[in-house]
Amino acid sequence: MNANPTIQSEAEAAALDRELKGLIADVLGLDPAQASAFGPDSGLFGHLPELDSMAVAGLFTEMEDRLGIVIEDDDVDGEMLETYGGLLAFARAKLADK
Amino acid sequence: MISTWTITAPDGSTTEELLVALDRGRDRRVLICPAWFDEANKLRRFTVEVMRRLDAAGIDSFLPDLPGCNDSLARLDAQTLTGWRAGMTAAAQALSASHVLAIRTGALLAPETLPGWHYAPQSGPRLLRGMIRARTIAARESGFEEKAEALMALGRSEGLTLGGWPLSAAMIGELESAEPVLVAGQSEITQAMLGGAGLWLRAEPDEDGAQADALAAIVAESII
């Protein structure tokens, strides 16, 4: 039983944020401190030179594995990849649909 | 250290392929089945670093190129999974391998006759899914739409170039249902056992001495 669902969901959101930043750091070989400094407006695809289409494919495969979601072709649009906030919102929505 | 090995194709013709060998004629001789395609590039240095550590631990190792890869004169789009499997089995015999260390999709080629290890094995369907996805994302970036299902259908009938790698229809058809199988005497080495993130994930090739130490130590400690 969970007496305080708000606190739990905040903790879940923070865990997802950590997981996603760790994942980006693993794929791009970034210092974890650099990834943890990402904000909602931090640029991803088109802003980080390492993040080419092959790296994006690797990032999605890892997201599927670690978050237990399935990413379809139709899910992928410019917005979700443009900023860290967009990717986080996408992951959150996918997890909510599970 | 750099030499060649000769592989006989199903039609009886032979080709010469590159071989990296750390061979001092010792009893324990590990055949490396390398990662494939883009992952092969990302893991090449790591793989050879593991071989150097095995050498220091008194273990010989052999890294043969597959036909159609690296400097091979054979065409990649003429290769099949069956052909590559036969090639690795032939390499095991020619090099008198006592063990196999298969890396990622290389696990699909590990000879069943050898004891050894599958490091972070990857199945054929997962390999294809990642490569198809990279192609659909690149297409979208260039302003046109490609569908994964349509690409797979084309790949099955005519072959397909994925991430710059031209794959035959036969290869794609075989990969669709290819799962690594651990036979008796073979065990899996997971990424968690090495610590850190797998180097194949990196957008650019990199190295990690601690991971190479860990993988070589697991092999050296469990080799019989």
PDB file of all heavy atoms in Angstrom, chain A residues 26-29 45 50 53-57 60-62 64-65 70-71 73-74 76, chain B residues 38 126 129-130 133-134 136-138 140-141 146-148 163 197 201-204:
ATOM      1  N   ASP A  26      26.784   6.545 -21.315  1.00  0.00           N
ATOM      2  CA  ASP A  26      27.377   5.290 -21.779  1.00  0.00           C
ATOM      3  C   ASP A  26      27.534   5.276 -23.293  1.00  0.00           C
ATOM      4  O   ASP A  26      28.542   4.827 -23.828  1.00  0.00           O
ATOM      5  CB  ASP A  26      26.503   4.098 -21.363  1.00  0.00           C
ATOM      6  CG  ASP A  26      26.590   3.823 -19.872  1.00  0.00           C
ATOM      7  OD1 ASP A  26      27.487   4.400 -19.233  1.00  0.00           O
ATOM      8  OD2 ASP A  26      25.776   3.048 -19.365  1.00  0.00           O
ATOM      9  N   VAL A  27      26.512   5.740 -24.001  1.00  0.00           N
ATOM     10  CA  VAL A  27      26.530   5.691 -25.467  1.00  0.00           C
ATOM     11  C   VAL A  27      27.533   6.708 -26.031  1.00  0.00           C
ATOM     12  O   VAL A  27      28.241   6.426 -26.987  1.00  0.00           O
ATOM     13  CB  VAL A  27      25.120   5.930 -26.042  1.00  0.00           C
ATOM     14  CG1 VAL A  27      25.168   6.107 -27.546  1.00  0.00           C
ATOM     15  CG2 VAL A  27      24.212   4.763 -25.675  1.00  0.00           C
ATOM     16  N   LEU A  28      27.570   7.876 -25.421  1.00  0.00           N
ATOM     17  CA  LEU A  28      28.440   8.924 -25.970  1.00  0.00           C
ATOM     18  C   LEU A  28      29.796   8.979 -25.285  1.00  0.00           C
ATOM     19  O   LEU A  28      30.650   9.777 -25.654  1.00  0.00           O
ATOM     20  CB  LEU A  28      27.751  10.285 -25.868  1.00  0.00           C
ATOM     21  CG  LEU A  28      26.427  10.375 -26.641  1.00  0.00           C
ATOM     22  CD1 LEU A  28      25.859  11.768 -26.545  1.00  0.00           C
ATOM     23  CD2 LEU A  28      26.622   9.981 -28.094  1.00  0.00           C
ATOM     24  N   GLY A  29      30.015   8.106 -24.294  1.00  0.00           N
ATOM     25  CA  GLY A  29      31.289   8.113 -23.598  1.00  0.00           C
ATOM     26  C   GLY A  29      31.508   9.410 -22.834  1.00  0.00           C
ATOM     27  O   GLY A  29      32.632   9.884 -22.706  1.00  0.00           O
ATOM     28  N   PHE A  45      20.307  15.408 -30.656  1.00  0.00           N
ATOM     29  CA  PHE A  45      20.545  15.119 -32.071  1.00  0.00           C
ATOM     30  C   PHE A  45      20.737  16.431 -32.839  1.00  0.00           C
ATOM     31  O   PHE A  45      19.915  17.332 -32.758  1.00  0.00           O
ATOM     32  CB  PHE A  45      19.350  14.335 -32.633  1.00  0.00           C
ATOM     33  CG  PHE A  45      19.657  13.576 -33.891  1.00  0.00           C
ATOM     34  CD1 PHE A  45      20.779  12.776 -33.986  1.00  0.00           C
ATOM     35  CD2 PHE A  45      18.803  13.653 -34.979  1.00  0.00           C
ATOM     36  CE1 PHE A  45      21.049  12.059 -35.140  1.00  0.00           C
ATOM     37  CE2 PHE A  45      19.066  12.940 -36.141  1.00  0.00           C
ATOM     38  CZ  PHE A  45      20.193  12.145 -36.214  1.00  0.00           C
ATOM     39  N   GLU A  50      28.770  13.344 -31.759  1.00  0.00           N
ATOM     40  CA  GLU A  50      28.888  11.878 -31.666  1.00  0.00           C
ATOM     41  C   GLU A  50      27.561  11.186 -31.936  1.00  0.00           C
ATOM     42  O   GLU A  50      27.520  10.003 -32.248  1.00  0.00           O
ATOM     43  CB  GLU A  50      29.351  11.458 -30.260  1.00  0.00           C
ATOM     44  CG  GLU A  50      30.647  12.077 -29.797  1.00  0.00           C
ATOM     45  CD  GLU A  50      30.403  13.335 -28.980  1.00  0.00           C
ATOM     46  OE1 GLU A  50      29.357  14.002 -29.186  1.00  0.00           O
ATOM     47  OE2 GLU A  50      31.266  13.663 -28.144  1.00  0.00           O
ATOM     48  N   SER A  53      23.203   8.662 -36.674  1.00  0.00           N
ATOM     49  CA  SER A  53      22.038   7.764 -36.734  1.00  0.00           C
ATOM     50  C   SER A  53      22.339   6.400 -36.120  1.00  0.00           C
ATOM     51  O   SER A  53      21.491   5.791 -35.474  1.00  0.00           O
ATOM     52  CB  SER A  53      21.555   7.612 -38.175  1.00  0.00           C
ATOM     53  OG  SER A  53      22.620   7.219 -39.014  1.00  0.00           O
ATOM     54  N   MET A  54      23.580   5.910 -36.299  1.00  0.00           N
ATOM     55  CA  MET A  54      23.949   4.623 -35.711  1.00  0.00           C
ATOM     56  C   MET A  54      23.920   4.717 -34.183  1.00  0.00           C
ATOM     57  O   MET A  54      23.457   3.796 -33.504  1.00  0.00           O
ATOM     58  CB  MET A  54      25.347   4.222 -36.207  1.00  0.00           C
ATOM     59  CG  MET A  54      25.695   2.776 -35.988  1.00  0.00           C
ATOM     60  SD  MET A  54      24.615   1.626 -36.838  1.00  0.00           S
ATOM     61  CE  MET A  54      25.656   1.141 -38.202  1.00  0.00           C
ATOM     62  N   ALA A  55      24.417   5.838 -33.648  1.00  0.00           N
ATOM     63  CA  ALA A  55      24.430   6.019 -32.190  1.00  0.00           C
ATOM     64  C   ALA A  55      23.008   6.161 -31.652  1.00  0.00           C
ATOM     65  O   ALA A  55      22.699   5.656 -30.570  1.00  0.00           O
ATOM     66  CB  ALA A  55      25.269   7.242 -31.820  1.00  0.00           C
ATOM     67  N   VAL A  56      22.137   6.832 -32.415  1.00  0.00           N
ATOM     68  CA  VAL A  56      20.742   6.950 -31.977  1.00  0.00           C
ATOM     69  C   VAL A  56      20.097   5.567 -31.922  1.00  0.00           C
ATOM     70  O   VAL A  56      19.377   5.234 -30.982  1.00  0.00           O
ATOM     71  CB  VAL A  56      19.947   7.887 -32.921  1.00  0.00           C
ATOM     72  CG1 VAL A  56      18.454   7.811 -32.615  1.00  0.00           C
ATOM     73  CG2 VAL A  56      20.437   9.321 -32.770  1.00  0.00           C
ATOM     74  N   ALA A  57      20.399   4.744 -32.933  1.00  0.00           N
ATOM     75  CA  ALA A  57      19.854   3.382 -32.950  1.00  0.00           C
ATOM     76  C   ALA A  57      20.328   2.620 -31.714  1.00  0.00           C
ATOM     77  O   ALA A  57      19.556   1.917 -31.071  1.00  0.00           O
ATOM     78  CB  ALA A  57      20.275   2.655 -34.219  1.00  0.00           C
ATOM     79  N   PHE A  60      18.432   3.870 -28.617  1.00  0.00           N
ATOM     80  CA  PHE A  60      17.068   3.321 -28.529  1.00  0.00           C
ATOM     81  C   PHE A  60      17.089   1.861 -28.072  1.00  0.00           C
ATOM     82  O   PHE A  60      16.249   1.454 -27.277  1.00  0.00           O
ATOM     83  CB  PHE A  60      16.361   3.418 -29.885  1.00  0.00           C
ATOM     84  CG  PHE A  60      15.926   4.811 -30.241  1.00  0.00           C
ATOM     85  CD1 PHE A  60      15.434   5.101 -31.505  1.00  0.00           C
ATOM     86  CD2 PHE A  60      16.005   5.836 -29.319  1.00  0.00           C
ATOM     87  CE1 PHE A  60      15.032   6.384 -31.838  1.00  0.00           C
ATOM     88  CE2 PHE A  60      15.613   7.131 -29.646  1.00  0.00           C
ATOM     89  CZ  PHE A  60      15.118   7.406 -30.912  1.00  0.00           C
ATOM     90  N   THR A  61      18.041   1.093 -28.596  1.00  0.00           N
ATOM     91  CA  THR A  61      18.116  -0.319 -28.214  1.00  0.00           C
ATOM     92  C   THR A  61      18.387  -0.441 -26.717  1.00  0.00           C
ATOM     93  O   THR A  61      17.790  -1.260 -26.024  1.00  0.00           O
ATOM     94  CB  THR A  61      19.223  -1.026 -29.020  1.00  0.00           C
ATOM     95  OG1 THR A  61      18.957  -0.809 -30.410  1.00  0.00           O
ATOM     96  CG2 THR A  61      19.243  -2.520 -28.762  1.00  0.00           C
ATOM     97  N   GLU A  62      19.277   0.407 -26.207  1.00  0.00           N
ATOM     98  CA  GLU A  62      19.570   0.398 -24.774  1.00  0.00           C
ATOM     99  C   GLU A  62      18.373   0.855 -23.950  1.00  0.00           C
ATOM    100  O   GLU A  62      18.109   0.330 -22.878  1.00  0.00           O
ATOM    101  CB  GLU A  62      20.770   1.297 -24.462  1.00  0.00           C
ATOM    102  CG  GLU A  62      22.102   0.638 -24.698  1.00  0.00           C
ATOM    103  CD  GLU A  62      22.299  -0.599 -23.822  1.00  0.00           C
ATOM    104  OE1 GLU A  62      22.421  -0.488 -22.596  1.00  0.00           O
ATOM    105  OE2 GLU A  62      22.337  -1.706 -24.402  1.00  0.00           O
ATOM    106  N   GLU A  64      15.291   0.446 -24.751  1.00  0.00           N
ATOM    107  CA  GLU A  64      14.353  -0.686 -24.749  1.00  0.00           C
ATOM    108  C   GLU A  64      14.755  -1.712 -23.699  1.00  0.00           C
ATOM    109  O   GLU A  64      13.928  -2.201 -22.936  1.00  0.00           O
ATOM    110  CB  GLU A  64      14.308  -1.339 -26.132  1.00  0.00           C
ATOM    111  CG  GLU A  64      13.631  -0.477 -27.173  1.00  0.00           C
ATOM    112  CD  GLU A  64      13.505  -1.179 -28.523  1.00  0.00           C
ATOM    113  OE1 GLU A  64      14.382  -2.001 -28.864  1.00  0.00           O
ATOM    114  OE2 GLU A  64      12.541  -0.903 -29.229  1.00  0.00           O
ATOM    115  N   ASP A  65      16.063  -2.017 -23.673  1.00  0.00           N
ATOM    116  CA  ASP A  65      16.559  -3.030 -22.738  1.00  0.00           C
ATOM    117  C   ASP A  65      16.423  -2.585 -21.289  1.00  0.00           C
ATOM    118  O   ASP A  65      15.947  -3.324 -20.437  1.00  0.00           O
ATOM    119  CB  ASP A  65      18.045  -3.309 -23.000  1.00  0.00           C
ATOM    120  CG  ASP A  65      18.238  -4.254 -24.170  1.00  0.00           C
ATOM    121  OD1 ASP A  65      17.224  -4.696 -24.736  1.00  0.00           O
ATOM    122  OD2 ASP A  65      19.396  -4.546 -24.516  1.00  0.00           O
ATOM    123  N   VAL A  70       9.140  -0.700 -25.794  1.00  0.00           N
ATOM    124  CA  VAL A  70       9.383  -0.980 -27.212  1.00  0.00           C
ATOM    125  C   VAL A  70       9.207   0.321 -27.980  1.00  0.00           C
ATOM    126  O   VAL A  70       8.199   1.011 -27.831  1.00  0.00           O
ATOM    127  CB  VAL A  70       8.398  -2.048 -27.750  1.00  0.00           C
ATOM    128  CG1 VAL A  70       8.602  -2.245 -29.239  1.00  0.00           C
ATOM    129  CG2 VAL A  70       8.590  -3.368 -27.003  1.00  0.00           C
ATOM    130  N   ILE A  71      10.217   0.681 -28.761  1.00  0.00           N
ATOM    131  CA  ILE A  71      10.166   1.924 -29.529  1.00  0.00           C
ATOM    132  C   ILE A  71       9.884   1.582 -30.993  1.00  0.00           C
ATOM    133  O   ILE A  71      10.648   0.865 -31.628  1.00  0.00           O
ATOM    134  CB  ILE A  71      11.488   2.709 -29.390  1.00  0.00           C
ATOM    135  CG1 ILE A  71      11.750   3.013 -27.910  1.00  0.00           C
ATOM    136  CG2 ILE A  71      11.451   3.982 -30.219  1.00  0.00           C
ATOM    137  CD1 ILE A  71      13.100   3.644 -27.625  1.00  0.00           C
ATOM    138  N   ASP A  73       8.951   2.535 -35.114  1.00  0.00           N
ATOM    139  CA  ASP A  73       9.335   3.527 -36.130  1.00  0.00           C
ATOM    140  C   ASP A  73       8.567   4.842 -35.978  1.00  0.00           C
ATOM    141  O   ASP A  73       9.137   5.924 -36.031  1.00  0.00           O
ATOM    142  CB  ASP A  73       8.999   2.998 -37.539  1.00  0.00           C
ATOM    143  CG  ASP A  73      10.103   2.095 -38.066  1.00  0.00           C
ATOM    144  OD1 ASP A  73      11.058   1.848 -37.318  1.00  0.00           O
ATOM    145  OD2 ASP A  73       9.991   1.656 -39.227  1.00  0.00           O
ATOM    146  N   ASP A  74       7.243   4.687 -35.789  1.00  0.00           N
ATOM    147  CA  ASP A  74       6.381   5.865 -35.791  1.00  0.00           C
ATOM    148  C   ASP A  74       6.581   6.746 -34.568  1.00  0.00           C
ATOM    149  O   ASP A  74       6.145   7.894 -34.545  1.00  0.00           O
ATOM    150  CB  ASP A  74       4.903   5.436 -35.875  1.00  0.00           C
ATOM    151  CG  ASP A  74       4.599   4.795 -37.219  1.00  0.00           C
ATOM    152  OD1 ASP A  74       5.386   5.013 -38.163  1.00  0.00           O
ATOM    153  OD2 ASP A  74       3.590   4.078 -37.313  1.00  0.00           O
ATOM    154  N   VAL A  76       9.393   7.752 -33.520  1.00  0.00           N
ATOM    155  CA  VAL A  76      10.596   8.576 -33.654  1.00  0.00           C
ATOM    156  C   VAL A  76      10.280   9.841 -34.451  1.00  0.00           C
ATOM    157  O   VAL A  76       9.905   9.766 -35.613  1.00  0.00           O
ATOM    158  CB  VAL A  76      11.719   7.781 -34.358  1.00  0.00           C
ATOM    159  CG1 VAL A  76      12.995   8.594 -34.424  1.00  0.00           C
ATOM    160  CG2 VAL A  76      11.970   6.464 -33.630  1.00  0.00           C
TER     161      VAL A  76
ATOM    162  N   ASP B  38      29.665  -2.741 -37.506  1.00  0.00           N
ATOM    163  CA  ASP B  38      30.012  -1.529 -36.776  1.00  0.00           C
ATOM    164  C   ASP B  38      30.602  -1.868 -35.401  1.00  0.00           C
ATOM    165  O   ASP B  38      31.559  -1.235 -34.947  1.00  0.00           O
ATOM    166  CB  ASP B  38      28.742  -0.671 -36.624  1.00  0.00           C
ATOM    167  CG  ASP B  38      29.051   0.711 -36.104  1.00  0.00           C
ATOM    168  OD1 ASP B  38      29.954   1.348 -36.662  1.00  0.00           O
ATOM    169  OD2 ASP B  38      28.410   1.140 -35.128  1.00  0.00           O
ATOM    170  N   ARG B 126      18.290  -9.199 -32.982  1.00  0.00           N
ATOM    171  CA  ARG B 126      18.642  -7.925 -32.333  1.00  0.00           C
ATOM    172  C   ARG B 126      19.667  -7.154 -33.160  1.00  0.00           C
ATOM    173  O   ARG B 126      19.617  -5.927 -33.232  1.00  0.00           O
ATOM    174  CB  ARG B 126      19.169  -8.163 -30.922  1.00  0.00           C
ATOM    175  CG  ARG B 126      18.072  -8.549 -29.952  1.00  0.00           C
ATOM    176  CD  ARG B 126      18.522  -8.420 -28.517  1.00  0.00           C
ATOM    177  NE  ARG B 126      18.795  -7.042 -28.137  1.00  0.00           N
ATOM    178  CZ  ARG B 126      17.860  -6.169 -27.787  1.00  0.00           C
ATOM    179  NH1 ARG B 126      16.588  -6.523 -27.775  1.00  0.00           N
ATOM    180  NH2 ARG B 126      18.171  -4.943 -27.445  1.00  0.00           N
ATOM    181  N   ARG B 129      17.676  -5.621 -35.953  1.00  0.00           N
ATOM    182  CA  ARG B 129      16.804  -4.541 -35.468  1.00  0.00           C
ATOM    183  C   ARG B 129      17.596  -3.245 -35.306  1.00  0.00           C
ATOM    184  O   ARG B 129      17.155  -2.185 -35.715  1.00  0.00           O
ATOM    185  CB  ARG B 129      16.181  -4.967 -34.136  1.00  0.00           C
ATOM    186  CG  ARG B 129      15.173  -3.993 -33.568  1.00  0.00           C
ATOM    187  CD  ARG B 129      14.421  -4.638 -32.410  1.00  0.00           C
ATOM    188  NE  ARG B 129      13.660  -3.674 -31.626  1.00  0.00           N
ATOM    189  CZ  ARG B 129      12.489  -3.155 -31.995  1.00  0.00           C
ATOM    190  NH1 ARG B 129      11.958  -3.510 -33.136  1.00  0.00           N
ATOM    191  NH2 ARG B 129      11.863  -2.289 -31.228  1.00  0.00           N
ATOM    192  N   GLY B 130      18.776  -3.334 -34.710  1.00  0.00           N
ATOM    193  CA  GLY B 130      19.615  -2.145 -34.527  1.00  0.00           C
ATOM    194  C   GLY B 130      20.061  -1.551 -35.847  1.00  0.00           C
ATOM    195  O   GLY B 130      20.045  -0.333 -36.038  1.00  0.00           O
ATOM    196  N   ARG B 133      17.113  -0.015 -37.738  1.00  0.00           N
ATOM    197  CA  ARG B 133      16.727   1.230 -37.080  1.00  0.00           C
ATOM    198  C   ARG B 133      17.673   2.367 -37.468  1.00  0.00           C
ATOM    199  O   ARG B 133      17.243   3.480 -37.734  1.00  0.00           O
ATOM    200  CB  ARG B 133      16.733   1.012 -35.570  1.00  0.00           C
ATOM    201  CG  ARG B 133      16.420   2.230 -34.800  1.00  0.00           C
ATOM    202  CD  ARG B 133      16.279   1.910 -33.340  1.00  0.00           C
ATOM    203  NE  ARG B 133      14.930   1.545 -32.994  1.00  0.00           N
ATOM    204  CZ  ARG B 133      14.629   0.801 -31.931  1.00  0.00           C
ATOM    205  NH1 ARG B 133      15.567   0.335 -31.172  1.00  0.00           N
ATOM    206  NH2 ARG B 133      13.372   0.552 -31.637  1.00  0.00           N
ATOM    207  N   ALA B 134      18.981   2.073 -37.493  1.00  0.00           N
ATOM    208  CA  ALA B 134      19.945   3.111 -37.890  1.00  0.00           C
ATOM    209  C   ALA B 134      19.620   3.596 -39.305  1.00  0.00           C
ATOM    210  O   ALA B 134      19.704   4.784 -39.610  1.00  0.00           O
ATOM    211  CB  ALA B 134      21.366   2.557 -37.830  1.00  0.00           C
ATOM    212  N   THR B 136      16.582   3.542 -40.860  1.00  0.00           N
ATOM    213  CA  THR B 136      15.352   4.343 -40.932  1.00  0.00           C
ATOM    214  C   THR B 136      15.579   5.743 -40.333  1.00  0.00           C
ATOM    215  O   THR B 136      15.032   6.719 -40.824  1.00  0.00           O
ATOM    216  CB  THR B 136      14.168   3.653 -40.207  1.00  0.00           C
ATOM    217  OG1 THR B 136      14.532   3.402 -38.846  1.00  0.00           O
ATOM    218  CG2 THR B 136      13.801   2.332 -40.870  1.00  0.00           C
ATOM    219  N   ILE B 137      16.413   5.813 -39.304  1.00  0.00           N
ATOM    220  CA  ILE B 137      16.699   7.123 -38.701  1.00  0.00           C
ATOM    221  C   ILE B 137      17.505   7.991 -39.671  1.00  0.00           C
ATOM    222  O   ILE B 137      17.230   9.177 -39.850  1.00  0.00           O
ATOM    223  CB  ILE B 137      17.450   6.967 -37.360  1.00  0.00           C
ATOM    224  CG1 ILE B 137      16.532   6.323 -36.319  1.00  0.00           C
ATOM    225  CG2 ILE B 137      17.948   8.312 -36.851  1.00  0.00           C
ATOM    226  CD1 ILE B 137      17.248   5.828 -35.074  1.00  0.00           C
ATOM    227  N   ALA B 138      18.492   7.375 -40.342  1.00  0.00           N
ATOM    228  CA  ALA B 138      19.303   8.126 -41.301  1.00  0.00           C
ATOM    229  C   ALA B 138      18.432   8.617 -42.455  1.00  0.00           C
ATOM    230  O   ALA B 138      18.598   9.742 -42.941  1.00  0.00           O
ATOM    231  CB  ALA B 138      20.439   7.244 -41.833  1.00  0.00           C
ATOM    232  N   ARG B 140      15.209   9.283 -42.369  1.00  0.00           N
ATOM    233  CA  ARG B 140      14.376  10.379 -41.871  1.00  0.00           C
ATOM    234  C   ARG B 140      15.166  11.687 -41.812  1.00  0.00           C
ATOM    235  O   ARG B 140      14.674  12.753 -42.155  1.00  0.00           O
ATOM    236  CB  ARG B 140      13.852  10.012 -40.486  1.00  0.00           C
ATOM    237  CG  ARG B 140      12.712  10.868 -40.034  1.00  0.00           C
ATOM    238  CD  ARG B 140      12.060  10.270 -38.827  1.00  0.00           C
ATOM    239  NE  ARG B 140      11.516   8.942 -39.109  1.00  0.00           N
ATOM    240  CZ  ARG B 140      10.453   8.443 -38.483  1.00  0.00           C
ATOM    241  NH1 ARG B 140       9.838   9.148 -37.583  1.00  0.00           N
ATOM    242  NH2 ARG B 140      10.018   7.234 -38.770  1.00  0.00           N
ATOM    243  N   GLU B 141      16.394  11.564 -41.386  1.00  0.00           N
ATOM    244  CA  GLU B 141      17.279  12.722 -41.303  1.00  0.00           C
ATOM    245  C   GLU B 141      17.478  13.346 -42.688  1.00  0.00           C
ATOM    246  O   GLU B 141      17.635  14.547 -42.832  1.00  0.00           O
ATOM    247  CB  GLU B 141      18.623  12.246 -40.746  1.00  0.00           C
ATOM    248  CG  GLU B 141      19.501  13.291 -40.157  1.00  0.00           C
ATOM    249  CD  GLU B 141      20.849  12.677 -39.773  1.00  0.00           C
ATOM    250  OE1 GLU B 141      20.936  11.429 -39.627  1.00  0.00           O
ATOM    251  OE2 GLU B 141      21.789  13.439 -39.649  1.00  0.00           O
ATOM    252  N   GLU B 146      11.465   5.567 -44.575  1.00  0.00           N
ATOM    253  CA  GLU B 146      11.617   4.144 -44.866  1.00  0.00           C
ATOM    254  C   GLU B 146      11.020   3.378 -43.693  1.00  0.00           C
ATOM    255  O   GLU B 146      11.220   3.757 -42.546  1.00  0.00           O
ATOM    256  CB  GLU B 146      13.091   3.764 -45.028  1.00  0.00           C
ATOM    257  CG  GLU B 146      13.690   4.199 -46.345  1.00  0.00           C
ATOM    258  CD  GLU B 146      15.107   3.656 -46.549  1.00  0.00           C
ATOM    259  OE1 GLU B 146      15.865   3.545 -45.569  1.00  0.00           O
ATOM    260  OE2 GLU B 146      15.441   3.349 -47.694  1.00  0.00           O
ATOM    261  N   LYS B 147      10.294   2.313 -44.001  1.00  0.00           N
ATOM    262  CA  LYS B 147       9.650   1.526 -42.955  1.00  0.00           C
ATOM    263  C   LYS B 147      10.441   0.254 -42.686  1.00  0.00           C
ATOM    264  O   LYS B 147      10.890  -0.424 -43.618  1.00  0.00           O
ATOM    265  CB  LYS B 147       8.227   1.155 -43.376  1.00  0.00           C
ATOM    266  CG  LYS B 147       7.283   2.343 -43.402  1.00  0.00           C
ATOM    267  CD  LYS B 147       6.935   2.775 -41.978  1.00  0.00           C
ATOM    268  CE  LYS B 147       5.968   3.953 -41.987  1.00  0.00           C
ATOM    269  NZ  LYS B 147       5.887   4.598 -40.665  1.00  0.00           N
ATOM    270  N   ALA B 148      10.592  -0.069 -41.413  1.00  0.00           N
ATOM    271  CA  ALA B 148      11.366  -1.251 -41.029  1.00  0.00           C
ATOM    272  C   ALA B 148      10.824  -2.513 -41.692  1.00  0.00           C
ATOM    273  O   ALA B 148      11.588  -3.334 -42.205  1.00  0.00           O
ATOM    274  CB  ALA B 148      11.370  -1.397 -39.512  1.00  0.00           C
ATOM    275  N   GLY B 163      23.713   0.260 -42.728  1.00  0.00           N
ATOM    276  CA  GLY B 163      24.854   0.933 -42.117  1.00  0.00           C
ATOM    277  C   GLY B 163      26.092   0.867 -43.003  1.00  0.00           C
ATOM    278  O   GLY B 163      27.220   0.889 -42.497  1.00  0.00           O
ATOM    279  N   ALA B 197      30.069   0.206 -18.921  1.00  0.00           N
ATOM    280  CA  ALA B 197      29.182   0.033 -20.065  1.00  0.00           C
ATOM    281  C   ALA B 197      29.938  -0.623 -21.211  1.00  0.00           C
ATOM    282  O   ALA B 197      31.138  -0.394 -21.377  1.00  0.00           O
ATOM    283  CB  ALA B 197      28.642   1.386 -20.507  1.00  0.00           C
ATOM    284  N   LEU B 201      28.543   0.113 -27.274  1.00  0.00           N
ATOM    285  CA  LEU B 201      27.513   1.139 -27.165  1.00  0.00           C
ATOM    286  C   LEU B 201      28.030   2.501 -27.582  1.00  0.00           C
ATOM    287  O   LEU B 201      27.266   3.366 -27.986  1.00  0.00           O
ATOM    288  CB  LEU B 201      27.054   1.271 -25.707  1.00  0.00           C
ATOM    289  CG  LEU B 201      26.198   0.161 -25.150  1.00  0.00           C
ATOM    290  CD1 LEU B 201      25.949   0.423 -23.680  1.00  0.00           C
ATOM    291  CD2 LEU B 201      24.891   0.097 -25.901  1.00  0.00           C
ATOM    292  N   ARG B 202      29.321   2.697 -27.438  1.00  0.00           N
ATOM    293  CA  ARG B 202      29.885   4.018 -27.685  1.00  0.00           C
ATOM    294  C   ARG B 202      29.661   4.460 -29.120  1.00  0.00           C
ATOM    295  O   ARG B 202      29.792   3.658 -30.041  1.00  0.00           O
ATOM    296  CB  ARG B 202      31.393   4.004 -27.417  1.00  0.00           C
ATOM    297  CG  ARG B 202      31.774   3.705 -25.996  1.00  0.00           C
ATOM    298  CD  ARG B 202      31.574   4.892 -25.094  1.00  0.00           C
ATOM    299  NE  ARG B 202      31.799   4.513 -23.705  1.00  0.00           N
ATOM    300  CZ  ARG B 202      32.996   4.474 -23.127  1.00  0.00           C
ATOM    301  NH1 ARG B 202      34.071   4.809 -23.804  1.00  0.00           N
ATOM    302  NH2 ARG B 202      33.110   4.128 -21.875  1.00  0.00           N
ATOM    303  N   ALA B 203      29.374   5.740 -29.264  1.00  0.00           N
ATOM    304  CA  ALA B 203      29.176   6.283 -30.606  1.00  0.00           C
ATOM    305  C   ALA B 203      30.480   6.229 -31.393  1.00  0.00           C
ATOM    306  O   ALA B 203      30.463   6.167 -32.618  1.00  0.00           O
ATOM    307  CB  ALA B 203      28.662   7.716 -30.509  1.00  0.00           C
ATOM    308  N   GLU B 204      31.603   6.264 -30.705  1.00  0.00           N
ATOM    309  CA  GLU B 204      32.897   6.224 -31.378  1.00  0.00           C
ATOM    310  C   GLU B 204      33.782   5.170 -30.709  1.00  0.00           C
ATOM    311  O   GLU B 204      33.638   4.907 -29.518  1.00  0.00           O
ATOM    312  CB  GLU B 204      33.567   7.600 -31.325  1.00  0.00           C
ATOM    313  CG  GLU B 204      32.824   8.609 -32.185  1.00  0.00           C
ATOM    314  CD  GLU B 204      33.295  10.037 -31.992  1.00  0.00           C
ATOM    315  OE1 GLU B 204      34.147  10.272 -31.119  1.00  0.00           O
ATOM    316  OE2 GLU B 204      32.783  10.895 -32.714  1.00  0.00           O
TER     317      GLU B 204
END
